Amino acid sequence: MISDRVKKGYEKAPHRSLFKAMGYTNEELALPLIGVVNSQNEVVPGHIHLDTIAEAVKSGIRMAGGTPIEFPSIGVCDGIAMNHVGMNYSLASRELIADSIEAMTMAHGFDGLVLIPNCDKIVPAMLMAAARLNIPSIVISGGPMLAGKKRGRNLDLNSVFEGVGAVSAGMMTEEELYDIEEDACRSCGSCAGMFTANSMNCLTEALGMGLPGNGTIPAVYAERTRLAKKAGMKILDLVEKNIRPRDIMTEKAFQNALTVDMALGCSTNSVLHLTAIAHEAGVEMNLDIINEISMRTPNLCRLSPAGEHHIEDLYAAGGVQAVIKELSKKDLIDLDLMTVTGHRMGTNIEKVGVLDNDVIRPIEDPYSETGGIAVLRGNLAPNGAVVKRSAVAPEMMVHEGPARVFDSEEDAFAAILGGKIKKGDVIVIRYEGPKGGPGMKEMLSPTSAIAGMGLDKDVALLTDGRFSGATRGASIGHISPEAMEGGPIAAVREGDIVSINIPEGVLDVKISDEELQSRMSRWKAPEPRIKKGYLARYARMVSSADKGAILT
């Protein structure tokens, strides 16, 4: 066992003595030592209850003949961090989490890991760590929040963000916004729509790294606790059989995940995270394969923000496994791949099926014949940009309009709330990429304000930053190269005509190549916004968005 290096032989007597100082017995030390990585904290609603999940996991480990050893992980709440300096730290925390799990695991010789995340950066960070360490590992998430309800209307966090824009536009009173605020987030768990957290929890199933139900069983259901016990038991099986993350997270597994991503209409952040996880797993994944998979994968689900359904509805309709079963009808999923169940994907879906065709459309009658995410290229994004196509109104799939240029999210948000954006405009927010932000901030506040004002069918927003999974509308992010690295987005001027063609995958600014080159020849990078601390180091080391914003 891996743990023998910290417990076996007379020369490890000092190590055993330290374990015994914590109350571990010789009998416990003789068993496999399983690291339980718990990201519980009292800051994130998706994580407030994870001690319950961790206790269930530890019970499962003991039942199966292992010794659980718990240690913590940090976690940032994207919603609370939104629209201020806190958002600079959100994506950057992903690398801190992966690095800290590596440090703790390698330092203490665990035989396996049970990883307990729930929200945006924590899920991909833990998958990155699992791929990097490549010891038997399983993910058990905390589960989704229940959707709120008010006067027959389904609510979630996005309802509150959009309400801010509605109040600013005089379309809603502050009292009405307060009513929404009170009911939108009804329970603990990851926010109720197909936002980034739930996207990644669902894709963990599709990758094969989470048990069936990991992505959709609500946080407050007893079934979630039972699943956590099963995950604790299953890790001992994975240790015994030496089934490791890279045996599961193969190139074909990432293609499966991307296929499910397209069918579900997941967050555009899933592209950023899957690319980073693939890098850790030694799998090459470029943006071109995303369009290839999108072109052959029908979009079967329209969950909030693309539609009215929430994750609890997907759960009741059969969950991720039912979506996989539906996709398999047209041979779009490789069913021969290993999963943490110890069985192949095909075995996992034998007894499942779609229970509600309003939530999961039949593959013969999809919402669209192509997937929920598209990659755009052009002179404005030579290395690519990403858009959640399934959340874009038909009127905005092809659009041309004048650029309204802002060098920060804060300036753009102030202009939106100040009524300075008009129908037809294309908002350009730059210097918010991985290096420029630094940290590639999410733009939920400006996109929600646009939607709340009723402009999401008239106004596009482009950025070298990124968007929350809660974003809807013609919101195009991850523009690469970013402005801070001298990407063409840095050359766009107020009033330039921007041309967007999502069906054709094109994003251009309508100026000549000569003019673009002339502008860039006079461009100079601005001073970094943050010059010390972790974010300064992060900015020096981070790669571009099309590479997953990994540290190099």
Side-chain angles (χ1 to χ4, degrees), residues 148-223:
K149 292 187 184 296
K150 193 75 173 181
R151 299 186 182 92
R153 176 191 173 195
N154 289 329
L155 301 172
D156 54 42
L157 180 64
N158 199 37
S159 309
V160 192
F161 271 100
E162 291 189 2
V164 173
V167 170
S168 177
M171 299 167 64
M172 180 185 293
T173 67
E174 289 190 41
E175 289 75 18
E176 288 171 327
L177 177 58
Y178 179 77
D179 284 345
I180 294 173
E181 171 191 331
E182 286 281 284
D183 287 332
C185 298
R186 184 158 279 194
S187 72
C188 64
S190 48
C191 295
M194 188 54 80
F195 312 147
T196 305
N198 290 322
S199 293
M200 295 310 301
N201 284 327
C202 288
L203 296 182
T204 297
E205 282 189 56
L207 273 174
M209 287 296 295
L211 295 175
N214 179 75
T216 59
I217 298 171
V220 295
Y221 283 16
E223 188 180 355

Side-chain angles (χ1 to χ4, degrees), residues 226-245:
R226 297 198 299 271
L227 191 73
K229 291 180 180 179
K230 290 177 183 177
M233 290 186 282
K234 185 57 65 175
I235 189 61
L236 273 299
D237 186 45
L238 297 174
V239 169
E240 180 183 353
K241 295 176 181 176
N242 197 29
I243 298 174
R244 299 173 180 244

Side-chain angles (χ1 to χ4, degrees), residues 283-440:
V283 172
E284 184 177 349
M285 194 177 92
N286 60 52
L287 294 185
D288 292 329
I289 194 173
I290 293 166
N291 272 351
E292 291 173 19
I293 291 174
S294 183
M295 290 304 295
R296 65 174 182 255
T297 305
N299 179 220
L300 304 181
C301 301
R302 288 280 168 95
L303 290 94
S304 177
E308 290 299 314
H309 297 128
H310 288 81
I311 302 299
E312 64 202 74
D313 301 311
L314 179 61
Y315 161 77
V320 174
Q321 300 297 310
V323 173
I324 292 172
K325 182 74 167 278
E326 199 66 21
L327 291 167
S328 72
K329 292 178 180 180
K330 288 194 175 181
D331 296 322
L332 295 172
I333 294 286
D334 191 325
L335 298 177
D336 197 40
L337 303 185
M338 180 55 65
T339 73
V340 290
T341 64
H343 303 295
R344 306 287 172 179
M345 186 76 73
T347 303
N348 293 345
I349 64 169
E350 282 179 355
K351 297 180 180 180
V352 304
V354 175
L355 304 177
D356 187 341
N357 284 132
D358 288 335
V359 179
I360 305 172
R361 285 281 188 90
I363 199 162
E364 301 83 9
D365 183 30
Y367 282 102
S368 67
E369 294 293 338
T370 54
I373 292 176
V375 172
L376 313 182
R377 294 186 188 270
N379 68 355
L380 194 49
N383 294 348
V386 182
V387 62
K388 187 169 183 173
R389 171 167 39 193
S390 59
V392 178
E395 299 94 318
M396 293 299 291
M397 296 295 282
V398 178
H399 179 76
E400 286 191 1
R404 303 297 310 281
V405 183
F406 303 92
D407 287 346
S408 73
E409 178 205 9
E410 291 82 1
D411 289 347
F413 187 52
I416 294 166
L417 292 186
K420 297 179 180 178
I421 302 301
K422 298 178 173 56
K423 289 185 176 183
D425 284 349
V426 177
I427 301 168
V428 177
I429 305 177
R430 61 191 179 192
Y431 297 107
E432 293 288 12
K435 289 184 184 294
M440 203 179 179

Side-chain angles (χ1 to χ4, degrees), residues 492-538:
V492 179
R493 293 178 180 172
E494 188 83 6
D496 285 347
I497 299 300
V498 175
S499 176
I500 301 165
N501 190 320
I502 294 173
E504 297 295 328
V506 176
L507 178 63
D508 283 326
V509 56
K510 298 185 77 173
I511 58 176
S512 67
D513 292 343
E514 293 77 15
E515 174 62 17
L516 184 58
Q517 291 170 9
S518 174
R519 292 183 189 181
M520 289 311 304
S521 69
R522 299 190 296 274
W523 173 82
K524 291 183 180 179
E527 283 289 308
R529 289 171 177 163
I530 296 176
K531 299 181 181 179
K532 63 180 181 179
Y534 174 60
L535 286 179
R537 296 196 301 276
Y538 177 87

